Amino acid sequence: MDATHPQTGHPIRVAMVARAVFPLHGYGGIERHVYHLTKYLTQLGVVVTLYVQSLPPNATPGDLRPHAIETLRYDYTSPILPPNGVIGRQINFPIYSWRIGRRVARHVLHSNFDVVHTQGLCAFGYAAARHRDPRLQTTPFVANPHGMEEFRTSDRIKWLAYAPFRFLYAYGHRQADRAIATDSCTKDDLPRYLGVDPARVVVIPSAIDVAECLSQVRSELRTALRFRLGLTSGNPILLSVGRLEPNKGFDVLIAALARLRDELPPNWRWLLVGSGSARTALEQQIREAGIAEHTVLVGRLSDEELHSLYEEIDLFVHPTRYEGSSLVTLEAMIHRRPVVASAIGGIPDKVFPGRNGLLVKPGDVDDLTAQLRAALAARAQWSEWGAESERIVRSTFDWPVVAQQTLALYHELLAGNHTSHPTRSG
């Protein structure tokens, strides 16, 4: 499908509205999502104007080449409050969203864009402008809410603190012509948490760039990591990746490995990549569980180091208590690794029991122990499971595939199917 507007014949012009984008502002999942979506839509011929917060000094866009980059101030609370702390974020982000939404609306009224596509809370500002001015209703509005961690947190204080944020988040996405669910198994979350009309929900997966991931593997890094992490004699080698925070469930995995300690081969290894506030508590639990000699808390790794490390491990374990789409699971899968992961968020759309891994009840030590035991018993199938992991990613979760699905959605809306559409899978 080409990027030609079905009615005017000119290239489709999209306002991509976000707070931050890789590599200009950071390395998080949403930043990378905006980067890859912009990159691959541009390659398809879509004219993308990227709206983001002010650029840091000496920022370089790498191979990010949108038609234009429009920026706006985000931080209004420093040095009094951290700009992305619980309170600072709830002040800064709504103001930013409101102001950038009004700016985009002015350009839409001047017929500069054919589609407005927002990321996260940026939906709020444009939705408010669209509600006030009926002329904006004729331009398709697509909103992507991403992981919605504020709706899933088990921390009551954070839950209460984020109440205004959740209200604005829900309001913005209810006004969109289409709200994107990043996995089929989480599409009901948008009506449940945000109040979005189910007929306006469309499933388009979050993705990884397969070629980019595999190109970052370095043979010299693989060798260095083997010696640095003591992997030369490890068998099997288990890997987990994520922020060291309670919601990632690494404490559950430690408890399960402690139970399996006497059943595992004498030289097994578990590598935990990431940093966060729970590191000290996890270190203490590892010592008390008697698995310290088998465990390495690796800390943060560069992209090249991490993708090289995926090539050195045998099994990827992701014991998260709650999750969005889980890009680290996809990363492990493209490196042909079998996966044991929690049946939460978008993971059941990626891990299929007996095909490329096993699923676990989130937060359940008994079930994680049982599923790890089952995975170890099926070790002869790990190569087959890994091949299936790769096939799943290449067919469904590679950015060139997902960009085409996004372009198809734009065509659908520009053809006049604005107001409602049956929920469909990406």
Side-chain angles (χ1 to χ4, degrees):
M1 179 177 294
D2 65 30
T4 303
H5 192 299
Q7 296 178 358
T8 67
H10 63 61
I12 295 172
R13 301 163 302 170
V14 175
M16 188 69 65
V17 191
R19 184 180 70 82
V21 60
F22 170 84
L24 296 174
H25 302 99
Y27 299 86
I30 295 179
E31 289 87 347
R32 290 178 186 271
H33 179 100
V34 177
Y35 160 75
H36 283 111
L37 181 57
T38 299
K39 174 181 174 179
Y40 280 98
L41 285 175
T42 300
Q43 288 185 9
L44 291 172
V46 177
V47 177
V48 179
T49 298
L50 189 58
Y51 286 83
V52 292
Q53 70 182 45
S54 301
L55 303 184
N58 304 317
T60 55
D63 62 351
L64 179 66
R65 295 287 185 270
H67 173 73
I69 299 177
E70 298 278 343
T71 64
L72 189 69
R73 177 184 175 186
Y74 169 77
D75 181 6
Y76 295 89
T77 60
S78 293
I80 299 171
L81 292 170
N84 285 307
V86 174
I87 298 175
R89 186 168 179 239
Q90 290 190 87
I91 296 172
N92 290 318
F93 211 151
I95 294 173
Y96 170 82
S97 178
W98 173 268
R99 293 186 63 207
I100 209 158
R102 291 174 62 190
R103 181 183 293 187
V104 172
R106 287 195 295 270
H107 284 282
V108 171
L109 291 174
H110 284 90
S111 301
N112 293 331
F113 297 118
D114 305 305
V115 176
V116 175
H117 191 153
T118 64
Q119 307 289 335
L121 189 65
C122 290
F124 155 67
Y126 184 71
R130 199 176 193 239
H131 181 74
R132 293 195 314 274
D133 193 333
R135 293 175 295 172
L136 297 171
Q137 299 286 336
T138 61
T139 298
F141 172 25
V142 177
N144 190 326
H146 293 282
M148 302 189 296
E149 285 83 359
E150 296 81 3
F151 292 82
R152 295 184 171 92
T153 179
S154 58
D155 185 328
R156 293 301 300 172
I157 295 176
K158 187 176 289 188
W159 172 266
L160 291 171
Y162 273 125
F165 197 95
R166 291 196 304 274
F167 173 81
L168 298 177
Y169 211 91
Y171 168 81
H173 289 85
R174 286 199 301 270
Q175 311 307 313
D177 297 307
R178 295 292 181 272
I180 294 176
T182 54
D183 296 280
S184 295
C185 57
T186 62
K187 67 178 183 295
D188 293 338
D189 287 352
L190 275 64
R192 175 186 175 190
Y193 292 121
L194 305 179
V196 175
D197 180 351
R200 296 190 177 196
V201 176
V202 59
V203 179
I204 300 179
S206 281
I208 61 171
D209 188 328
V210 168
E212 179 184 280
C213 289
L214 297 180
S215 71
Q216 296 188 78
V217 176
R218 300 284 184 270
S219 59
E220 66 275 13
L221 279 178
R222 292 183 61 179
T223 300
L225 287 164
R226 278 199 298 271
F227 285 96
R228 170 184 158 193
L229 302 177
L231 308 183
T232 53
S233 60
N235 182 24
I237 302 168
L238 283 56
L239 173 67
S240 300
V241 179
R243 296 187 310 277
L244 304 189
E245 304 292 345
N247 66 288
K248 291 301 181 182
F250 297 129
D251 58 317
V252 181
L253 180 52
I254 293 168
L257 290 173
R259 294 185 184 184
L260 293 168
R261 181 179 54 191
D262 295 334
E263 302 175 37
L264 286 160
N267 54 349
W268 66 276
R269 277 277 195 277
W270 174 47
L271 310 178
L272 177 54
V273 173
S275 60
S277 64
R279 180 180 177 115
T280 300
L282 292 174
E283 287 176 329
Q284 180 177 347
Q285 185 187 359
I286 288 166
R287 288 192 298 270
E288 293 174 350
I291 61 171
E293 64 178 303
H294 298 281
T295 303
V296 182
L297 271 65
V298 180
R300 297 186 65 177
L301 294 178
S302 69
D303 288 349
E304 290 185 347
E305 288 173 323
L306 179 56
H307 284 286
S308 297
L309 182 58
Y310 282 125
E311 294 288 327
E312 295 299 316
I313 63 103
D314 299 302
L315 178 69
F316 185 75
V317 187
H318 195 48
T320 181
R321 286 185 168 90
Y322 62 84
E323 192 77 2
S325 191
S326 189
L327 297 182
V328 294
T329 299
L330 291 177
E331 288 177 351
M333 289 168 59
I334 198 55
H335 289 278
R336 301 173 67 91
R337 298 300 169 238
V339 178
V340 174
S342 298
I344 196 72
I347 293 173
D349 275 1
K350 303 169 179 66
V351 179
F352 300 90
R355 283 177 52 191
N356 69 317
L358 295 170
L359 290 173
V360 178
K361 298 174 185 175
D364 189 322
V365 176
D366 292 337
D367 193 42
L368 181 54
T369 303
Q371 297 305 325
L372 284 172
R373 183 179 288 118
L376 292 164
R379 191 168 180 184
Q381 301 175 46
W382 285 6
S383 177
E384 180 182 331
W385 287 4
E388 179 65 5
S389 284
E390 181 188 25
R391 190 200 65 78
I392 291 168
V393 176
R394 289 187 180 277
S395 65
T396 308
F397 299 102
D398 193 6
W399 264 114
V401 175
V402 171
Q404 284 281 0
Q405 293 177 6
T406 306
L407 180 57
L409 175 62
Y410 296 163
H411 272 277
E412 174 189 295
L413 294 170
L414 292 168
N417 299 323
H418 244 70
T419 55
S420 64
H421 192 282
T423 303
R424 65 178 175 87
S425 174

